[in-house]
Amino acid sequence: MAHRPRPLTLAGIGAATLVAVLVLGSIAAILTRAEGWGGLRPSDWGAVRFTLWQAALSALLSIALGVPVARALARRRFPGRGLLVTLLGAPFILPVIVAILGLVMVFGRSGWINAALGSLGLPPVSIYGAHGVVLAHVFFNLPLATRLILQGWQEIPAERFRLAANLGLSRGRVFRLIEWPMLRAVLPGAGLVIFLICTTSFAVALALGGGPRATTIELAIYQAFRFDFDLGRAAMLALLQLAVTCAAGLVALRATVPEAAGAGRDRPVRRWDGGAPWGDAAWIGAAALFLLLPLAALAARGAGAVPGLPAAVWAAAGRSVGVALVSALLCVALGMAIAVAAARLGGGRARGVELMGMLGLAASPLVLGTGLFIVTYPVMRPQDAALPVTALVNAAMALPFALRALVPAVARVEGDYGRLADALGLTGWARLRRLVLPRVRRPLGFAAGLAAALSMGDLGVIALFADAEGATLPLQLYRLMAAYRMGDAAGAAILLLGLSLAAFWAFDRGGRVDADA
């Protein structure tokens, strides 16, 4: 048997154990503080119902709108199509609070839409409340739905469309015989993923929700902390949130995606059933306008406000940069250790180590924050631990995405060069530095950039822990919005967006430079 680099394996097992202790320990702390269902108010059960309702409606609307947009993109080729498809992935790293402010500037009381309605003598619309929460969730998840469905369309072999054209099938029959089987396979999984995302969207509910009819479970947890300081009630709400998240996650995992199209010869897809192009152009144009208009409104309002931002905003930006850097480094360190251990262990033990690293998917940041608040409160001021706890939780939340990029890459390196390295006696740190790291720089840079960008825009844990002097930039931006200082808020949003994109670009670019040398 080949000699295994025991230090690296033990480091990976230790990293996976650390993540498991963080997640399971936070849940255990919540269990010790929970005081029973009797401590919950009728409004708390209303928050459960609203959470499920808005998540289901948001997922349904995102999927319903994503199908025609994805179909139009699959059928049409036009200049800028590749850029548009790439931009559909931008909301994933776009700070949530930034996009919310953009939506407010378009749909808010003084936004572009109400200005246009007022000029026509029509009554204004409001973005606040249940419909605002659903609108924001569709804004964030329509690109995801479109990308997932478009991928399914692109996997249909070109030969099927060629055969349909030779047989003279109508557009209706092409849809029923070729496209509908793919949609039937893809849509349930995509809808469940979006449903799961919408159940844990704290920032959207905080900024646009509230009130007895538009409060999610996570917003109720925040209110129990900030307004009542009722840790027992907050713990019970966190358990409810955990139950909802785990149930949705298990259903999503069981929603397997069967093979919808079969094999082909990887030829470029040509369509003869496209029909009039104006319909597809309308769907593509409407989706692009819906996604880009809020960002355009934000840029128009905030670009000139950045130099004049208050000192508190710049101090918050510095804290956000520090938290993002620590979170990214911690995430990739944990991810690399777990990926190397999984590659060396193999079999069931590898899957066990990887599963421990993925436990962050089982709980939302606010649930972990609740548990860590309960742990730290008796021994220290939670405000003193705000930034370290935020960095730690953000690293754990980004770790599953990092592992999806790192585990296959490290396994491929070990499969290609592992035996040679064993024969040369290359073990430990030398093996990692000389063999693995040079060959996984691309996924490593991507994972670090993603972790930094997600951490930069997070408004979850910090909202529980931070005081007035310890806010990060997303929390400071929310406070500016709550004070109706929209000019400063727009400038802070542009700054936050720039820092998030710069962090992602810098790490991702660093992983790609000379990666093949």
Side-chain angles (χ1 to χ4, degrees):
M1 180 181 292
H3 175 69
R4 290 176 176 171
R6 186 172 180 81
L8 294 182
T9 304
L10 291 178
I13 295 173
T17 303
L18 176 63
V19 176
V21 169
L22 172 66
V23 177
L24 299 179
S26 298
I27 295 173
I30 292 171
L31 288 171
T32 61
R33 197 59 189 253
E35 297 178 352
W37 304 113
L40 296 178
R41 305 171 181 176
S43 60
D44 297 329
W45 294 109
V48 175
R49 290 190 294 271
F50 177 74
T51 299
L52 299 176
W53 173 83
Q54 61 83 21
L57 181 59
S58 299
L60 180 62
L61 291 175
S62 299
I63 291 296
L65 296 174
V67 169
V69 176
R71 192 185 193 205
L73 288 171
R75 295 198 299 187
R76 304 299 172 188
R77 296 294 184 269
F78 52 88
R81 178 183 179 276
L83 177 61
L84 179 60
V85 172
T86 301
L87 288 176
L88 289 175
F92 189 72
I93 61 173
L94 180 69
V96 176
I97 193 67
V98 171
I100 290 172
L101 180 57
L103 289 171
V104 169
M105 290 186 170
V106 175
F107 297 96
R109 294 186 182 96
S110 302
W112 291 0
I113 298 296
N114 278 329
L117 292 176
S119 65
L120 297 175
L122 298 176
V125 297
S126 174
I127 194 176
Y128 299 100
H131 51 283
V133 172
V134 173
L135 174 68
H137 281 156
V138 172
F139 174 84
F140 284 109
N141 293 298
L142 174 59
L144 175 60
T146 302
R147 288 292 296 267
L148 292 174
I149 299 168
L150 178 61
Q151 181 178 348
W153 246 296
Q154 291 173 336
E155 290 177 355
I156 299 177
E159 290 79 9
R160 297 207 171 189
F161 293 108
R162 183 182 297 273
L163 178 60
N166 290 334
L167 294 175
L169 298 184
S170 64
R171 288 196 298 273
R173 297 195 67 185
V174 169
F175 177 81
R176 183 171 60 85
L177 297 176
I178 299 177
E179 296 174 314
W180 173 243
M182 178 276 296
L183 292 174
R184 189 172 54 192
V186 170
L187 293 186
L192 285 168
V193 168
I194 295 172
F195 176 88
L196 180 60
I197 292 173
C198 293
T199 61
T200 59
S201 184
F202 167 69
V204 171
L206 179 65
L208 300 178
R213 296 185 178 180
T215 297
T216 61
I217 302 174
E218 293 204 335
L219 183 55
I221 295 172
Y222 173 77
Q223 292 170 345
F225 269 111
R226 284 296 183 185
F227 302 151
D228 304 326
F229 200 70
D230 188 346
L231 296 184
R233 178 167 158 255
M236 285 305 304
L237 288 166
L239 289 179
L240 278 174
Q241 176 64 42
L242 183 65
V244 170
T245 304
C246 290
L250 290 174
V251 174
L253 288 175
R254 291 180 64 87
T256 57
V257 179
E259 180 65 35
R265 297 185 178 182
D266 297 328
R267 293 174 175 171
V269 176
R270 291 185 60 193
R271 302 290 297 268
W272 292 268
D273 61 319
W278 62 266
D280 290 339
W283 279 109
I284 295 171
L289 189 65
F290 175 59
L291 297 174
L292 298 178
L293 197 59
L295 299 182
L298 186 61
R301 181 77 178 272
V306 174
L309 288 173
V313 174
W314 292 103
R319 286 187 285 270
S320 286
V321 171
V323 168
L325 291 176
V326 172
S327 180
L329 294 176
L330 183 58
C331 177
V332 297
L334 294 171
M336 277 301 303
I338 293 172
V340 170
R344 296 296 291 170
L345 288 171
R349 290 181 297 175
R351 288 190 292 272
V353 169
E354 186 179 351
L355 180 62
M356 292 169 67
M358 301 283 286
L359 280 176
L361 293 175
S364 70
L366 214 66
V367 170
L368 292 185
T370 301
L372 293 174
F373 190 100
I374 292 171
V375 169
T376 58
Y377 179 70
V379 297
M380 64 184 299
R381 293 175 67 248
Q383 294 87 343
D384 296 336
L387 298 183
V389 167
T390 301
L392 179 63
V393 172
N394 287 339
M397 292 295 102
L399 184 58
F401 303 104
L403 289 176
R404 288 298 84 215
L406 293 174
V407 168
V410 174
R412 188 162 51 249
V413 171
E414 286 290 341
D416 292 341
Y417 302 101
R419 292 191 178 186
L420 177 60
D422 290 339
L424 296 174
L426 194 61
T427 61
W429 169 247
R431 185 188 187 106
L432 183 66
R433 181 169 58 88
R434 295 182 179 276
L435 174 65
V436 180
L437 288 178
R439 291 168 176 81
V440 297
R441 284 184 58 181
R442 289 178 184 271
L444 190 66
F446 172 79
L450 186 61
L454 293 177
S455 180
M456 189 78 70
D458 178 67
L459 180 62
V461 178
I462 194 67
L464 296 180
F465 280 80
D467 56 12
E469 303 300 324
T472 56
L473 189 52
L475 183 56
Q476 189 67 34
L477 170 56
Y478 169 71
R479 290 172 177 172
L480 291 172
M481 292 173 59
Y484 296 101
R485 296 170 58 184
M486 289 304 180
D488 287 340
I494 292 295
L495 177 61
L496 177 56
L497 178 60
L499 289 174
S500 299
L501 296 178
F504 178 79
W505 179 85
F507 280 110
D508 186 46
R509 176 66 176 170
R512 288 185 284 117
V513 171
D514 296 330
D516 298 322

